[in-house]
Every structure is written in structure tokens, then in C-alpha cells.
Amino acid sequence: MSKPVSILYIVVFLAILFGFAIAGMVLPDRAVSTVENRALSKLPAFSFEAVGTRRFFEEMNQYFNDQAPLRDEMVRLYQSQQNSGMFNSMLLENLFHVKPPQKPEEGTVVKDSRVVSNLVVINKKWIFPVTDPLVHTDKMDESTAKLNDGIQFAADQQTETYFVFNPSRTRTLMHLYPDYMQTDAYAKSKDYFLSKLAKSVNVVDIGKKFDAFTNAAKEELYLETDHHWNIQGAFAAYQEMIAEISAKSAQFEDKPMSLDDIRVSGLTIGSFEGSYNSQINYAVNPKTADRTVIYEPRKPFSFSKFEVINKDGTQTVTSFNDFYGFKRGQSTYTYGTIYGGDRRKIAYENPQANNRLNVLLLKDSFMNPLTPYLAQHFNKLTVYDNRYYSEFSLKEILASEHFDMLIIAFHDDNLFSGSYEFDKPL
């Protein structure tokens, strides 16, 4: 290689190296990645004490990775390569670990599986997170201690309390994972979590109902490219929830709505943007993904009062019809746009209920499709998602107003998160 060519190579290399460095310093930090649909890291706070810790350098490394120039373009190219027909990170798994013939009730036959940015794409249809084989007992100990304390405080206020455990998609559909990714850690984690609850806690374990279904039936209850269930799964959980609480409660008795009360249609048009699919550059075509069913009560939901407080504390929704349900004419759908999305607070009043009960519901996003169905059964239902309420205090809410019933409803893969921060410091 001649000297001029060598010099040219060095100049080009240094130009690229320093060009990226200069661009990284000049360009403003980005808050979110549109390709991965997630928040990006911010520059960690500097202090002499922090610099001496491992965490500071890990956060700095993540910050530089997240804020690198052209990052979205490079991630998009990488994801497209991983999902291409020429590339398969699990080729040997697909060739040598093909599952034997299955009966229809045993569910989907996995013919193709690949990892795209830490998500597993099955048959170019289903998307799952890579499984976690660990049982995080220390984190669950913290969550259950907070849960037991909150429930005991409610009991002291003469409030009847129920803890509803909804079946998560990962645990329920574990059979769809490649063999080497399948783990019983999720089932063990659920069992451990329940074992740490006080004996006095009224547990409504919806997972027992789902576990009795065939694998094929379970697949009908969850979205394919999103981490939530569909309305079929949510409605089945609602029916079981009302039936079990009615059987356990000293003050509430009612029957859930049945499918005879529902008009069932299907999503045949538009694009469904699943939460997992949106993280990997839509590896599954959103125009064919999740042609899920839609439930619309034959007798429309009716509330004398309806209030929504957004995550930022504003009130921009006043009509229930604008808040919940299938909107004809839309071309793009998400779990949030159909079922109201995560809100700080939702309040329903329904004088047509057969009781005068005032009920408080603490929930995660799995409950979003269910809240109007539950509201049909109570005179007042107040719903909080405390993840989006920085000043949330369950004890203050219970002490300031009498609630006849408290329902805490999380899914059984939500075992340690902000959902368990029941009394946040001011």
C-alpha cells in the first residue's frame, strides 16, 4: 500500500471517529427513540461521590450508547438484518429442535424463531421478550411487604380488600418459546410472591382459570405483537373476577355480563402497532398483525359521571365515547387508543348499579379494558394508576374518604415495579 493511500485511510478513519465525537457534543440529547419506542438515557448527575461508583460509569456508558449520532438509523438497519430472510440467529434451533407434530389443542407449531433486539419473533407473527430465568426473591420481598402494609391499613379503615392476580402473557404462553428459552421461573416467582402475602389477604387468582385452558385457547386471549391480552382475555378475566369477588364478599353480589350481552366484530382494516412490534421496526407487518376481535356491549355503557385525569394531571377527556372503544375511521390502533391508555385517575358513577358501594381500584395496564365493565357493578368506581401519580398516597386516600371496597389488580409478571409504591414521599 502506497504512503498516500495509507495517509488517506488514516484521515478518513480519524474524520469518522472525531466526526461522531463532535456531532455527539454538538447535537442536543434526544428524549426518546422512535425506532425502539423507549425513553433514552440522560446524562447522569456528576459528583465526586458518584464518580467512585460502578453505577456512574454504567450510566455514562448507556448515555453515550443512547445519544450516539445516527443511532436510530443504525438500530433500524441492524433490526432489519436480524429479521431478514437471509439472517436467522436461531437457525440451528429451528433446524434441529423442530417440535414433533401437535394436536390442534396444543397450540401453534413453531417453525421459525429469531431474536431481534432482545425480543423473540415466532413464526413472523408472535413477539415475546427474552425470558428471565431468575426468581428475584429480594425484590418480591419488598413488594409484598408494601402490599401487606397497604391491605392491613385498608382493613383498619373497615374497607374490604381484594388482590387480583391477572395472568401475564409471558407465563401463560410459555409454550410458544423455543425449548431452550422456556423456564419455570415465572411460575415459581408467582408462587413465591403469593406465599409472602399475609394469610388474611383475599386473593383472586385469575391465572387458575386460564391455566385450565388448552394452549390453543390461551393463544386466543392475548395480542400477538403487544405485551397485553386482547378483549377476549380481558373479558374472561372480568367474568371470573366478578364471580369470585361475589362469592367471597359480605357486601357485594352480582353476576358478570355474558357474551350474549356483547356485539362481537373484528379488526379488519388499519394498522395495529403492538408495543413489542414498535420496538423492532415493525418486524411483523402492522397491517396484518393482531386482527383482534372487538367487543361492544349491546347496551352501551352509561355513567352519570365520568372523569379522566391524564398522566400530567390535566383533564382533556370528558366523553366516555372519546375515551374507550373502537373508533371507526381510525387507520392506526394501539392497545392504548382502543382501551383508554394509562391514566392517573378515572372516576365512574353509575346510579343504575344494584348497590351503593364506593369502590377504589389500583391497577396496571392489564386492567385498562376492564374498568368500564367493572364500573357497571358499583355505584362509584375510582381508578388509580399510581405509577403516574408522583404524590400518590393510598393511606391518605383511604383516610380521606370511606371506600367500601379496595381492589388491587396487577398481572403476575408485575411483581416489583412502581405499582407497589403505595405511599410516595413528598
Side-chain angles (χ1 to χ4, degrees):
M1 183 182 298
S2 64
K3 186 174 182 180
V5 174
S6 299
I7 294 173
L8 178 61
Y9 273 123
I10 294 172
V11 170
V12 171
F13 173 76
L14 292 176
I16 294 174
L17 182 64
F18 287 102
F20 269 85
I22 293 171
M25 291 185 289
V26 173
L27 294 174
D29 288 351
R30 295 177 303 130
V32 297
S33 167
T34 56
V35 173
E36 298 173 278
N37 193 29
R38 69 174 180 87
L40 297 177
S41 300
K42 298 179 181 179
L43 184 67
F46 177 85
S47 70
F48 289 108
E49 182 180 353
V51 169
T53 66
R54 175 180 174 181
R55 180 177 179 180
F56 175 81
F57 290 98
E58 290 176 344
E59 291 178 350
M60 284 295 293
N61 182 61
Q62 186 61 50
Y63 167 76
F64 284 119
N65 286 337
D66 280 1
Q67 299 299 336
L70 301 178
R71 183 182 185 282
D72 277 1
E73 288 73 13
M74 290 186 286
V75 169
R76 185 181 288 111
L77 182 63
Y78 176 63
Q79 291 175 341
S80 297
Q81 178 216 15
Q82 288 181 304
N83 196 48
S84 69
M86 297 180 63
F87 178 85
N88 191 334
S89 59
M90 302 172 71
L91 180 62
L92 295 179
E93 172 72 22
N94 295 326
L95 287 176
F96 300 113
H97 295 86
V98 177
K99 292 185 177 180
Q102 297 178 185
K103 298 177 182 178
E105 61 269 21
E106 293 177 315
T108 295
V109 177
V110 177
K111 298 180 179 179
D112 181 88
S113 52
R114 60 189 67 228
V115 175
V116 181
S117 288
N118 215 37
L119 290 171
V120 188
V121 182
I122 303 296
N123 291 0
K124 298 183 179 179
K125 176 182 179 180
W126 292 92
I127 306 177
F128 294 92
V130 171
T131 52
D132 181 359
L134 302 179
V135 178
H136 301 275
T137 56
D138 54 340
K139 295 180 180 179
M140 286 188 283
D141 287 344
E142 294 180 13
S143 298
T144 52
K146 294 173 182 176
L147 184 59
N148 286 332
D149 180 64
I151 289 176
Q152 182 57 55
F153 186 87
D156 294 340
Q157 304 298 308
Q158 305 301 309
T159 298
E160 192 175 274
T161 303
Y162 295 89
F163 177 66
V164 177
F165 228 9
N166 288 315
S168 64
R169 180 176 178 271
T170 303
R171 188 187 70 83
T172 305
L173 301 183
M174 185 63 67
H175 65 276
L176 285 175
Y177 277 95
D179 290 344
Y180 85 95
M181 283 191 181
Q182 292 184 16
T183 174
D184 62 357
Y186 292 82
K188 287 182 176 179
S189 294
K190 176 183 176 180
D191 290 342
Y192 181 84
F193 187 99
L194 290 174
S195 74
K196 302 298 289 187
L197 296 183
K199 302 300 182 184
S200 59
V201 177
N202 289 313
V203 176
V204 177
D205 185 1
I206 307 297
K208 289 183 178 179
K209 175 81 171 181
F210 279 43
D211 288 344
F213 297 150
T214 65
N215 286 344
K218 292 175 184 176
E219 292 174 16
E220 295 295 319
L221 304 178
Y222 292 88
L223 294 167
E224 297 158 2
T225 66
D226 191 284
H227 67 283
H228 296 100
W229 49 21
N230 59 28
I231 192 61
Q232 285 176 272
F235 191 80
Y238 147 77
Q239 290 180 309
E240 184 68 13
M241 194 179 305
I242 292 297
E244 287 200 37
I245 292 177
S246 291
K248 295 173 180 285
S249 176
Q251 55 184 337
F252 170 74
E253 184 176 358
D254 209 350
K255 293 182 179 180
M257 297 171 66
S258 71
L259 285 177
D260 293 336
D261 303 313
I262 300 296
R263 184 183 299 108
V264 180
S265 58
L267 181 62
T268 58
I269 60 173
S271 299
F272 185 87
E273 298 185 349
S275 59
Y276 288 142
N277 207 18
S278 63
Q279 294 176 37
I280 52 175
N281 198 26
Y282 298 102
V284 178
N285 186 348
K287 291 185 178 181
T288 58
D290 286 301
R291 302 295 93 180
T292 185
V293 296
I294 297 166
Y295 284 7
E296 296 176 301
R298 296 184 184 279
K299 181 181 178 182
F301 292 121
S302 177
F303 306 106
S304 62
K305 181 181 178 182
F306 172 71
E307 179 187 33
V308 175
I309 306 297
N310 299 321
K311 294 178 183 179
D312 60 1
T314 61
Q315 292 178 267
T316 57
V317 180
T318 57
S319 169
F320 177 77
N321 292 330
D322 293 337
F323 168 74
Y324 185 95
F326 175 69
K327 284 74 170 184
R328 286 170 176 78
Q330 277 189 318
S331 59
T332 301
Y333 307 91
T334 65
Y335 179 83
T337 57
I338 296 177
Y339 302 123
D342 293 327
R343 311 286 178 148
R344 177 183 295 186
K345 178 183 177 182
I346 312 168
Y348 299 94
E349 289 192 18
N350 177 29
Q352 298 180 22
N354 63 5
N355 56 65
R356 306 304 297 169
L357 295 177
N358 184 16
V359 178
L360 176 64
L361 169 66
L362 302 187
K363 59 86 181 174
D364 60 20
S365 58
F366 262 61
M367 290 295 292
N368 291 355
L370 282 71
T371 62
Y373 288 94
L374 292 179
Q376 298 298 297
H377 296 275
F378 306 111
N379 181 50
K380 291 178 66 176
L381 177 68
T382 304
V383 183
Y384 281 102
D385 191 328
N386 57 311
R387 295 173 298 172
Y388 307 108
Y389 194 171
S390 60
E391 300 175 355
F392 182 84
S393 172
L394 175 59
K395 292 180 179 179
E396 287 187 8
I397 292 171
L398 290 172
S400 63
E401 178 182 355
H402 176 68
F403 289 93
D404 301 289
M405 188 180 295
L406 166 65
I407 302 173
I408 301 175
F410 302 145
H411 68 81
D412 60 22
D413 194 15
N414 179 10
L415 303 177
F416 42 88
S417 71
S419 297
Y420 293 92
E421 296 297 330
F422 298 127
D423 287 282
K424 298 182 179 181
L426 296 177

